[in-house]
Amino acid sequence: MSVLRLILVLIGLTMIVPEIATARRVLVTGSSQGHGLAFINDYAERGWTVIATTRTPATADRLNALADKFPNVAVEELDVTDFAEVDALAQKYANTPIDVLNLNGAINTFRVGRNIHGETDYALMEQVLRTNITGQLYVAEAFLEHVAASEQKTIAVMSAVGGSITNLRSSMAPSYRASKAGLNMLMRTYGEAVKGRGVIVAVIAPGTIDTENYMAIEDPATLSERDQRMVAANAYAPRHAIGKMIDLIDGLTLDDIGTFHKWDGTTLPW
Ligand SMILES: NC(=O)c1ccc[n+]([C@@H]2O[C@H](COP(=O)([O-])OP(=O)(O)OC[C@H]3O[C@@H](n4cnc5c(N)ncnc54)[C@H](OP(=O)(O)O)[C@@H]3O)[C@@H](O)[C@H]2O)c1
């Protein structure tokens, strides 16, 4: 094949599959279900190179199915509270630029138990704080060089609307809310610490996203009681909220690190 013909073929290929020329890399934690799984699907569909972490790859069936479907998805084991495991994964990917580090994996006590005042489960509270605050910073620091070496240089921190102190109207889920409010401050200070490297640390509240398309289900009676209530109250953010967050993350600059972002592009009070 002549050199000219080879060049024409390569140009043609990059036009058909633009990601060949531009593939960016994302690492998403806690990706076996919920938002994490939806992020993996949507990033993979967009042609990103995806590192999907989960505590339990052996049983992460839906995630493994995505990895079978998309050759650009790699599944890795990661528990953010296991610092040796975090270090080992950071080492495995040493010298690999990561454009977006999506700190998604966390314990949501709205899902795993009430943990209300007067009945506080302190062991659970400590686990929530270690997972949702301490482990998040540990991962961010362990992967700082990977992010700093990338084009996009973004750490996207999944917080929660429930972490806004200004907007608080309920005593529900205090340890979860405290973990997200604490995470917000920790990541604001971390953002100040690393902005000189050009690294954008942005705090985003995803909302409760309808990742399973429950709003479209024919027979809501087949859902759990909680999901039936959510559907009846029209309380889910739409499935496309995940894609909107990817767009939001892609548009972030260092000017955005002082803002508590909501998935839809609006701003929340801290
Ligand atoms: N859904 C909501 O209503 C909502 C609202 C606001 C904010 N958020 C935030 O959005 C993120 C995702 O929420 P979700 O609703 O998708 O939650 P989810 O369905 O409960 O899934 C959370 C994931 O976090 C991971 N995780 C838990 N402990 C971990 C640990 N020690 N190390 C690493 N990963 C851990 C688990 O992933 P693996 O099993 O794969 O390890 C789990 O699948 C969380 O940060 C959550 O706080 C959710």
Side-chain angles (χ1 to χ4, degrees):
M1 186 185 293
S2 74
V3 174
L4 182 60
R5 194 170 153 75
L6 181 66
I7 289 170
L8 287 175
V9 168
L10 285 174
I11 290 172
L13 260 181
T14 54
M15 283 172 72
I16 297 164
V17 191
E19 52 271 23
I20 286 177
T22 59
R24 286 170 287 169
R25 188 175 286 102
V26 62
L27 186 155
V28 182
T29 60
S31 50
S32 69
Q33 63 176 43
H35 296 184
L37 188 71
F39 270 121
I40 300 305
N41 181 78
D42 290 12
Y43 273 116
E45 279 183 350
R46 290 178 185 215
W48 287 56
T49 301
V50 182
I51 305 167
T53 78
T54 174
R55 290 163 302 166
T56 53
T59 55
D61 296 341
R62 296 176 74 194
L63 178 57
N64 290 325
L66 283 185
D68 288 343
K69 180 175 168 193
F70 296 106
N72 47 333
V73 174
V75 176
E76 300 284 1
E77 182 171 323
L78 187 70
D79 181 331
V80 302
T81 65
D82 182 340
F83 293 171
E85 194 168 64
V86 177
D87 289 341
L89 191 65
Q91 185 57 39
K92 178 173 177 180
Y93 284 94
N95 304 317
T96 302
I98 294 178
D99 291 275
V100 174
L101 176 64
N102 184 324
L103 298 175
N104 167 79
I107 299 175
N108 183 346
T109 60
F110 280 111
R111 293 190 176 211
V112 303
R114 289 164 18 105
N115 212 23
I116 56 175
H117 286 298
E119 297 173 20
T120 304
D121 175 342
Y122 284 96
L124 174 60
M125 179 186 269
E126 285 183 6
Q127 194 191 346
V128 168
L129 298 180
R130 182 168 165 82
T131 306
N132 293 8
I133 302 180
T134 317
Q136 306 298 321
L137 182 65
Y138 198 90
V139 176
E141 292 196 325
F143 283 92
L144 176 63
E145 294 306 325
H146 311 64
V147 175
S150 73
E151 287 289 317
Q152 205 163 319
K153 296 185 180 33
T154 302
I155 301 178
V157 182
M158 295 301 120
S159 181
V161 173
S164 168
I165 293 175
T166 306
N167 277 358
L168 185 71
R169 301 286 180 274
S170 154
S171 64
M172 275 287 290
S175 50
Y176 177 69
R177 290 180 191 279
S179 75
K180 294 299 188 179
L183 175 71
N184 290 355
M185 177 56 89
L186 190 62
M187 290 300 174
R188 275 295 293 116
T189 59
Y190 191 53
E192 292 298 319
V194 299
K195 68 182 183 188
R197 306 276 314 268
V199 173
I200 302 159
V201 180
V203 176
I204 302 170
T208 304
I209 300 169
D210 188 15
T211 53
E212 305 298 326
N213 277 320
Y214 288 148
M215 300 293 285
I217 205 158
E218 270 185 27
D219 182 7
T222 57
L223 300 175
S224 70
E225 257 181 52
R226 174 186 177 275
D227 289 323
Q228 287 184 42
R229 277 200 310 276
M230 294 289 289
V231 168
N234 204 13
Y236 276 116
R239 172 64 181 80
H240 73 251
I242 294 289
K244 274 210 135 190
M245 270 192 286
I246 294 176
D247 294 339
L248 174 68
I249 293 165
D250 286 352
L252 290 168
T253 71
L254 283 172
D255 290 337
D256 297 311
I257 66 173
T259 300
F260 188 3
H261 304 270
K262 198 175 168 193
W263 67 269
D264 59 4
T266 59
T267 297
L268 287 163
W270 294 105

